[in-house]
């Protein structure tokens, strides 16, 4: 027989972690709404004239939100069976990260702006609203990125080494004449800004030879930007194919590769099994 | 027996909404030409020295166009059977939007520059000139974008949340030393400018640590820009495949959409014609 | 019997238009070299201090080149059977364009810098050096672009109309406060700079609402840049497939779809015909 | 019988060039660590205040590293059978390049910053740590780029010629009014910055007509950036397909690389095993 305490924990777990009962759904909706409002408050508070005018109100409001989220986090810790496992799970870690900055802000002024990290908790939105299709499509993207992990690692290693070499060369070429390239780290920052085609223009070459080298780097970047796109595209095409493949085999000739809307085998004309999707 | 009034309405409907009779075609051509000229007038009028020199003429001209388009809109309302349904259709809404700014401009000065919205009415051009092939290809694009809607929504949600977090972190890091990052919304604007690789350079990090974080954001953006491209590419490849299939029709049930290697109809099991490639 | 005149014309045609005899090859090589040198001369001449120092020499040199190319063009006209057809062909037109600017420069100073157009004549390089593989691959690209012509036209129409609307809205929002957006054409220029992710930063929004709208435009541009890439990717994949398809059919079971290195039918095991590539 | 000298060389070769014994692995790890530290030292040394404060220490440290790498290079030369072949191999050349700048820096001040080139030696990391999967995926990328070499060459030739023509036109249009376009090489630099969508904004058109032409260039760049991406994507898809095929081996001739729908070996015509998917 379960103790009342244990039953309370189970009930709370159902409300806090699940969204299948109406209380669970309500809880999640309220938390989601609070996250949105609290994130907006942090963002708005940082604007100068708003901070001056409504600073005190927003400050109190923010502490109210932090109190609620702290309580929620403690409740989660209480109801979950293995608290440490929860804390080090993806969502548990974000839950923790979204209350800590407020307290750190008491010691290190400014740190409370990191409260905005709690916006990441909204990723749960697809699960709470049971948007299964969106979740599935999200997993297709994540799957494609995971499948291309090795390719992207090799690619980024190559890019990183290129950036060091390009940075050193540009520092040598421009360094003396151009304050923008006054150190290799700065030149490397420029190389990243250029290779990724962001191109702020806060650091630009001024010597003719420097501009010539930059042009080479840009054209290299041009070819290079095609690589990650190609990697992800080809994986996504793979992933989309895998999802849409029909595994039906003809009962007569055993051939496969039938379309989802096929009633008869396209190779021998026999009736296929009825599929209950 | 139809009344004369009803016959007039039908006739007008044919001229205004369709492009199959020569009157209908002429009407559409004239309207198209007026849209092009009127849009050019609004654009040109906004240029300083032209506004000063020809302002009065262009102003009168623009009111002439607005009068014509208002009359046309009223005629459309009169001839169509369900006016409200027309107004809330895609093209009806654009038709309405392309006359309203002129009148709003009487109250709120400047609003009349939104007359340029009437350029959107030119989307009809492919239908009026019966450019069926272009329309079909346009639908392939729209179809591919629609099919990737869920993936893109998940992706944009992730990007939006990242922008909030990046904005908050950069505000914390650069905020004190750099007026460019004086608030979280400004930092978020910078994050968008950077992640999309637009890179105006109106807001740039100046501290070493800020530049280091920016470099990480750019490299992340580099990998991330590959995702929407991959999504749309894979959908377009799917869509192109579907469109480009085999034109064979089953001799028994007349269904189409057979694979190139099909010998039997997948819908009714009848033998298909032998194809001599 | 051919007259001497006609035989001379034929001989000249062989030398000038073809690259199969050693004289023809030599002629093409000399012309190519002259094009490269002449283009370099025009480019270098425009640099201030070089223009001052070597202006006279380079000027005479350039007229020498122009004389040679004019003579060459007249010879081409003389030897070709239908001169007008040649002039209006792709290469004929470029040949003409590469001599005209020198003469126009006598009347309109500066126009002679357009001599650089003659660089386009170097496209012939792949044909002259018989780089058949490169030519073929080039045609695959051109073919893919041609196949996606309709999609790209529809896409660019949509982009153009968007630019007009975005330009008008930003002019309304920023126009009063920001000299950068002082007219709709300028705003449209900004919209193009932003949507293509070039992002010079010569024109940037300064109001909060303007920056918010810009952020939307950038994110839209983000999704939108995926479309042409997707279009060209899917066409190139199609094109690559078409090129690599083997048309062999099994002599026993008539099945197709064999790999290029197949000796036996993968469906029935019969010997395939020997292919002489 | 081998002489002691020859046995020493073999032993050293095993340690220096291979990573299969524990001494070989240790050697590689130590060298890798030294490369990372030495690269960091060069990068950090270039920062102004660090250079002033720790310049002397870092200078001595750097010479220490150079001494070690020089010794290592000489040992490699000694143990390898054909020294010249090693020097002109990819990795041998990088090994050489990573010691030379230190000595050149004695004559030409500043050149020692090119020591950063030794970062490229880290490419070996995937081999040393036996990250076979990463190596394989890296080869897939390299293979795809190699397969698209011809297409990319044709494409870059076209881009290069376009840049010359665009540069000459913009020089003509903007040259007189705008110091940014004071020569054709500068205009060409601008064309590259624009076409690659880097868009620094250090050189921007100011005349209306110049901005109009720039807009055309950008939209052209928009379509054009799709081409290399499409090329690499389609090749990567091809490459992924080739890699991911069927692992069946013919029971008669042991050849692999059969299609999924093959019943008979395409090389010898023998029956393949039935596959139970």
């Amino acid at each position: 027989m379960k103790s009342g305490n244990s039953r309370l924990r189970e009930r709370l777990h159902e409300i806090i972690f699940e969204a299948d009962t109406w209380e669970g759904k309500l809880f999640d909706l309220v938390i989601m709404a609070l996250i949105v409002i609290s994130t907006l408050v942090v963002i708005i508070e940082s604007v100068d004239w708003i901070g001056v005018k409504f600073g005190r109100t927003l400050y109190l409001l923010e502490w109210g939100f932090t109190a609620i989220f702290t309580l929620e986090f403690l409740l989660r810790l209480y109801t979950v069976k293995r608290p440490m496992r929860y804390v080090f799970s993806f969502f548990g870690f974000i839950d923790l990260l979204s209350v800590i900055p407020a307290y750190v802000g008491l010691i290190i002024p400014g740190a409370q702006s990191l409260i905005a990290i709690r916006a990441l908790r909204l990723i749960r939105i697809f699960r709470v609203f049971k948007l299964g299709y969106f979740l599935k499509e999200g997993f297709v993207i994540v799957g494609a990125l995971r499948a291309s992990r090795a390719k992207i690692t090799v690619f980024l290693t190559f890019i990183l080494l290129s950036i060091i070499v390009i940075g050193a060369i540009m520092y040598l070429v421009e360094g003396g004449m151009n304050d923008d390239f006054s150190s290799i780290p700065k030149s490397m920052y420029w190389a990243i800004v250029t290779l990724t085609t962001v191109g702020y223009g806060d650091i630009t070459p001024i010597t003719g030879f420097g501009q010539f080298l930059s042009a080479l780097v840009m054209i290299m970047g041009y070819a290079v930007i095609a690589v990650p796109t190609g990697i992800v595209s080809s994986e996504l095409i793979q992933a989309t194919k895998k999802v849409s493949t029909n595994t039906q085999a003809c009962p007569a000739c055993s051939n496969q590769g039938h379309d989802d809307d096929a009633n008869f085998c396209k190779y021998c004309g026999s009736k296929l099994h009825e599929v209950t999707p």
Side-chain angles (χ1 to χ4, degrees), chain A residues 131-194:
Chain A
L131 299 167
Y133 181 59
F134 286 84
L135 266 186
K136 209 189 85 186
E137 292 292 44
F139 282 127
V140 171
I141 298 178
V142 171
L145 288 176
R146 190 168 294 164
S148 49
R149 208 177 35 209
K151 280 203 198 75
I152 286 177
T153 305
V154 172
F155 176 72
L156 283 185
T157 306
F158 169 74
I159 289 293
L160 193 70
L161 298 180
S162 304
I163 284 164
I164 294 174
V165 174
I166 295 170
I169 295 174
M170 287 302 287
Y171 168 66
L172 184 61
V173 173
E174 290 274 324
M177 275 84 107
N178 188 343
D179 269 1
D180 288 353
F181 292 84
S182 62
S183 72
I184 295 184
K186 264 196 170 182
S187 297
M188 285 169 62
Y189 168 70
W190 168 86
I192 293 172
V193 169
T194 302

Side-chain angles (χ1 to χ4, degrees), chain A residues 9-274:
Chain A
R9 271 175 67 184
E10 246 173 52
R11 185 93 185 83
L12 275 172
H13 187 273
E14 204 176 73
I15 293 175
I16 295 175
F17 278 92
E18 287 159 42
D20 298 319
T21 57
W22 73 262
E23 295 103 324
K25 206 166 269 172
L26 184 69
F27 180 85
D28 277 330
L29 282 179
V30 169
I31 289 288
M32 289 270 159
L34 289 179
I35 294 170
V36 171
I37 298 169
S38 141
T39 308
L40 286 179
V41 166
V42 178
I43 292 174
I44 285 171
E45 198 182 2
S46 72
V47 179
D48 243 21
W49 64 270
I50 297 180
V52 168
K53 226 172 168 182
F54 307 102
R56 206 170 160 70
T57 323
L58 294 174
Y59 180 80
L60 290 174
L61 214 60
E62 204 44 76
W63 272 108
F65 290 127
T66 298
I68 294 170
F69 289 130
T70 308
L71 186 70
E72 185 218 342
F73 186 70
L74 292 176
L75 275 176
R76 280 180 189 266
L77 278 186
Y78 172 69
T79 59
V80 94
K81 268 181 196 137
R82 304 194 197 166
M84 286 328 279
R85 206 166 161 184
Y86 159 66
V87 169
F88 288 107
S89 72
F90 178 66
F91 279 115
F93 195 64
I94 290 176
D95 290 351
L96 182 60
L97 272 182
S98 69
V99 287
I100 286 184
Y103 300 105
V104 174
L106 293 176
I107 306 160
I108 307 164
Q112 70 270 21
S113 63
L114 291 182
I115 287 174
I117 291 172
R118 66 177 57 141
L120 289 180
R121 294 187 63 189
L122 292 173
I123 298 176
R124 275 177 175 128
I125 209 161
F126 295 110
R127 221 191 52 202
V128 170
F129 290 109
K130 313 255 178 217
L131 299 167
Y133 181 59
F134 286 84
L135 266 186
K136 209 189 85 186
E137 292 292 44
F139 282 127
V140 171
I141 298 178
V142 171
L145 288 176
R146 190 168 294 164
S148 49
R149 208 177 35 209
K151 280 203 198 75
I152 286 177
T153 305
V154 172
F155 176 72
L156 283 185
T157 306
F158 169 74
I159 289 293
L160 193 70
L161 298 180
S162 304
I163 284 164
I164 294 174
V165 174
I166 295 170
I169 295 174
M170 287 302 287
Y171 168 66
L172 184 61
V173 173
E174 290 274 324
M177 275 84 107
N178 188 343
D179 269 1
D180 288 353
F181 292 84
S182 62
S183 72
I184 295 184
K186 264 196 170 182
S187 297
M188 285 169 62
Y189 168 70
W190 168 86
I192 293 172
V193 169
T194 302
L195 268 182
T196 55
T197 77
V198 169
Y200 286 142
D202 52 347
I203 298 182
T204 51
I206 52 170
T207 67
F209 189 54
Q211 292 182 336
F212 174 72
L213 287 180
S214 305
L216 291 186
V217 170
M218 283 171 219
I219 287 172
M220 182 191 142
Y222 206 59
V224 148
I225 209 169
V227 174
T229 309
I231 292 170
V232 176
S233 293
S234 76
E235 288 301 338
L236 272 172
I237 290 164
Q238 271 333 59
T240 315
K241 261 188 206 148
K242 270 178 208 144
V243 166
S244 69
T245 310
N246 184 306
T247 59
Q248 242 184 324
C250 171
C253 73
S254 298
N255 271 311
Q256 294 191 315
H258 300 293
D259 292 338
D260 290 334
D261 60 350
N263 300 321
F264 291 88
C265 173
K266 63 182 178 179
Y267 298 109
C268 72
S270 310
K271 187 106 190 63
L272 296 173
H273 293 296
E274 297 289 328

